[in-house]
Amino acid sequence: RIRLMSLCLMGRAMLRIPLHEIDPAIDRFNTVDNMGPKDPNHLTSQLAKAVALDKKGQGAEADKLLTGLSSHPLAQQNLLYRLLVTDQMHLMRLARAQAKPADARPAAIAEAYSVYEALLADPALGSNADGLKNYIYARWESTIKPDSDLSLLPDAVLAAAAEMARISGQALFHEA
């Protein structure tokens, strides 16, 4: 177990090194993947591997890995782990979207947010769906700054922010 943790940490630390040295980090992540049980070390290692792949310009492989991690035993058992996987996919896609030409950026940003829509549409969430939706919507609302270019944000994000503002306003009204 200690060996798995140290390999995982070494690999994650290596992500801070130059691009041409990412392959040794990926090798360490693969070692963790092949060695141990599907525990938090494994999940962390695979999340870091996805970041490494994305950093190498292998975004499609990183997305495929993260899509598979949505079925990881921990992600299936614990909603927070599943959200962690979804967050990582969103962050990587959003970073790729920011690098796109201006005319392609809005569609790429919408694709980055679509991972949350897929998560929220999952019937397996059951009674957790509303709480998770409110949590995600509140996070989206908090990222919109007064000087944000709203034309770049998907309609779903704008609608979510409006919904959260409505809920806040309604709560203030009832408190008064």
Side-chain angles (χ1 to χ4, degrees):
R1 182 148 173 99
I2 293 173
R3 180 164 162 42
L4 286 175
M5 291 172 63
S6 65
L7 284 169
C8 185
L9 288 173
M10 281 188 338
R12 288 174 56 202
M14 293 177 90
L15 286 176
R16 293 192 171 99
I17 60 176
L19 184 62
H20 68 277
E21 295 181 23
I22 288 180
D23 288 327
I26 291 174
D27 290 341
R28 282 175 177 74
F29 299 138
N30 289 334
T31 300
V32 172
D33 187 33
N34 295 327
M35 282 182 64
K38 304 301 183 207
D39 64 2
N41 292 319
H42 177 266
L43 183 65
T44 302
S45 172
Q46 294 305 288
L47 286 168
K49 180 180 176 182
V51 172
L53 289 169
D54 195 58
K55 191 173 179 180
K56 279 184 65 173
Q58 298 174 354
E61 284 185 46
D63 284 352
K64 184 177 177 183
L65 176 60
L66 290 172
T67 299
L69 285 178
S70 294
S71 300
H72 189 282
L74 287 175
Q76 292 299 304
Q77 296 167 7
N78 186 322
L79 185 57
L80 295 178
Y81 283 120
R82 187 153 176 219
L83 181 60
L84 181 66
V85 172
T86 303
D87 285 343
Q88 188 59 58
M89 187 176 294
H90 167 73
L91 291 171
M92 287 186 333
R93 287 183 177 184
L94 192 59
R96 282 185 237 142
Q98 299 300 338
K100 296 227 180 245
D103 61 329
R105 204 169 296 141
I109 290 172
E111 180 186 343
Y113 280 96
S114 71
V115 297
Y116 291 109
E117 293 170 12
L119 172 64
L120 292 172
D122 185 352
L125 293 176
S127 62
N128 294 319
D130 285 338
L132 181 63
K133 178 186 80 163
N134 289 336
Y135 177 74
I136 290 170
Y137 284 8
R139 286 191 347 190
W140 288 355
E141 179 191 29
S142 72
T143 63
I144 300 174
K145 306 295 180 224
D147 62 341
S148 294
D149 183 355
L150 300 181
S151 68
L152 294 175
L153 294 174
D155 292 341
V157 173
L158 297 174
E163 175 68 8
M164 296 313 294
R166 183 198 62 78
I167 290 170
S168 295
Q170 189 174 10
L172 289 173
F173 176 77
H174 288 294
E175 287 177 8

